[in-house]
């Protein structure tokens, strides 16, 4: 009798990084794809299922506690005897670029809601399932946060976005120290550069390979997931070779 199939959950699935990460992890696991709008995850779910994999999509607002709880209730119903091998938080949130005195409270809190509150709710829902998988997984159960250079330094007109990303990094660091000794790999991934997706096709650069391929990010996330417990990478920078930083 075949062993129950392991799962990965990806929050924040759209046409770029989230979709590529879902495709990569679907080569080895069943995958649950979370996004606020069904039209963001449905094409990827259909692609994976039609290609012989197993995927489900769940409409989820990561900043809403009940929505996250419902998403993980649905996930657990599909898990059956399987285990959650990986959880990827790829939610960017609303990017507000305004001078500080132009920000409304709603603008400011938008960065925190997705990257701070959302990351907190997602982690609290995912970590019990990851803990349950420690003894059974081929690779250490993994929690990855997609982040940005804004988590390291704030820039002018980016107070809302940077505040949210700073919160995410602090959360990731705390979780790595709390859950790493139990065998769970927590990683904060700093993505710095323009990602090569349909929306950025018209962006012009001096070098034709100046954009980050989302497939390459997915490959890196899989590499992080497959690291042994003796060699955890808790933070990583990912950027094209010509990026100025």
């Amino acid at each position: 009798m075949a062993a129950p199939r392991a799962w990965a959950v990806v929050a924040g699935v759209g046409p770029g990084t989230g979709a590529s990460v879902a495709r990569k992890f679907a080569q080895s696991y069943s995958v649950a794809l979370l996004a606020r709008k069904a039209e963001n995850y449905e094409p990827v779910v259909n692609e994976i299922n039609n290609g012989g994999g197993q995927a489900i999509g769940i409409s989820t607002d990561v900043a809403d506690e009940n929505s996250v709880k419902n998403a993980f209730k649905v996930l657990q119903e599909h898990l059956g005897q399987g285990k959650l091998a990986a959880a990827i938080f790829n939610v960017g949130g609303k990017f507000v670029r305004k001078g500080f005195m132009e920000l409304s409270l709603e603008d400011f809190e938008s960065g925190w809601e997705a990257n701070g509150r959302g990351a907190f709710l997602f982690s609290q829902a995912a970590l019990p399932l990851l803990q349950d998988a420690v003894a059974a997984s081929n690779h250490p159960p993994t929690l990855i946060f997609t982040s940005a250079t804004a988590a390291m330094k704030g820039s002018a007109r980016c107070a809302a976005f940077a505040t949210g990303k700073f919160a995410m990094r602090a959360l990731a660091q705390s979780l790595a120290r709390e859950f790493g000794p139990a065998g769970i790999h927590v990683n904060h991934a700093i993505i710095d550069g323009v990602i090569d997706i349909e929306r950025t096709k018209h962006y012009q650069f001096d070098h034709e390979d100046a954009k980050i391929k989302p497939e390459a990010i997915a490959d890196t996330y899989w590499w992080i997931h497959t690291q042994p417990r003796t060699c955890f990478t808790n933070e990583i920078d990912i950027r094209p070779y010509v990026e100025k930083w």
Side-chain angles (χ1 to χ4, degrees):
M1 182 176 179
R5 190 169 170 88
W7 282 74
V9 57
V10 184
V13 175
T17 302
S20 292
V21 170
R23 293 185 188 102
K24 181 67 179 182
F25 279 73
Q27 294 174 15
S28 300
Y29 302 140
S30 298
V31 291
L33 312 187
L34 278 51
R36 293 183 68 177
K37 298 179 180 179
E39 57 261 35
N40 287 336
Y41 60 70
E42 282 179 344
V44 189
V45 168
N46 293 335
E47 175 189 333
I48 291 171
N49 288 331
N50 292 337
Q54 182 181 5
I56 61 171
I58 310 170
S59 296
T60 310
D61 179 356
V62 297
D64 182 274
E65 183 178 13
N66 290 329
S67 183
V68 174
K69 285 182 176 180
N70 176 70
F72 275 82
K73 180 181 178 181
V74 173
L75 172 58
Q76 286 183 275
E77 291 171 353
H78 283 80
L79 280 178
Q81 297 301 310
K83 302 293 183 181
L84 182 65
I88 297 93
F89 188 79
N90 185 63
V91 178
K94 184 180 178 182
F95 182 71
V96 178
R97 185 183 288 275
K98 290 182 180 180
F100 180 73
M101 298 305 297
E102 299 170 6
L103 288 174
S104 66
L105 180 60
E106 181 181 2
D107 288 335
F108 182 75
E109 290 184 338
S110 67
W112 155 256
E113 285 177 356
N115 295 291
R117 179 184 174 88
F120 165 79
L121 292 172
F122 180 81
S123 299
Q124 274 209 329
L127 278 164
L129 300 179
L130 295 173
Q131 287 179 299
D132 187 52
V134 170
S137 297
N138 292 328
H139 306 295
T142 308
L143 174 60
I144 300 175
F145 297 92
T146 298
S147 191
T149 297
M152 309 289 289
K153 58 181 181 180
S155 299
R157 301 174 63 82
C158 290
F161 185 68
T163 298
K165 290 300 185 185
F166 263 68
M168 178 190 287
R169 187 181 188 224
L171 176 66
Q173 288 181 343
S174 295
L175 295 181
R177 284 157 177 77
E178 182 174 351
F179 293 93
I184 295 174
H185 188 178
V186 181
N187 178 273
H188 177 254
I190 302 162
I191 313 297
D192 188 2
V194 175
I195 298 176
D196 189 11
I197 58 178
E198 191 62 37
R199 180 169 53 84
T200 65
K201 291 297 183 185
H202 67 284
Y203 289 15
Q204 298 296 315
F205 296 94
D206 293 336
H207 301 267
E208 62 179 20
D209 54 354
K211 301 175 188 175
I212 307 175
K213 296 291 185 183
E215 297 83 5
I217 296 174
D219 288 343
T220 301
Y221 281 15
W222 181 256
W223 169 75
I224 290 168
H225 172 56
T226 58
Q227 286 183 319
R229 291 189 296 179
T230 55
C231 188
F232 278 175
T233 299
N234 295 121
E235 187 164 77
I236 191 169
D237 285 22
I238 301 172
R239 51 175 52 89
Y241 73 107
V242 296
E243 186 70 16
K244 298 177 181 179
W245 54 286

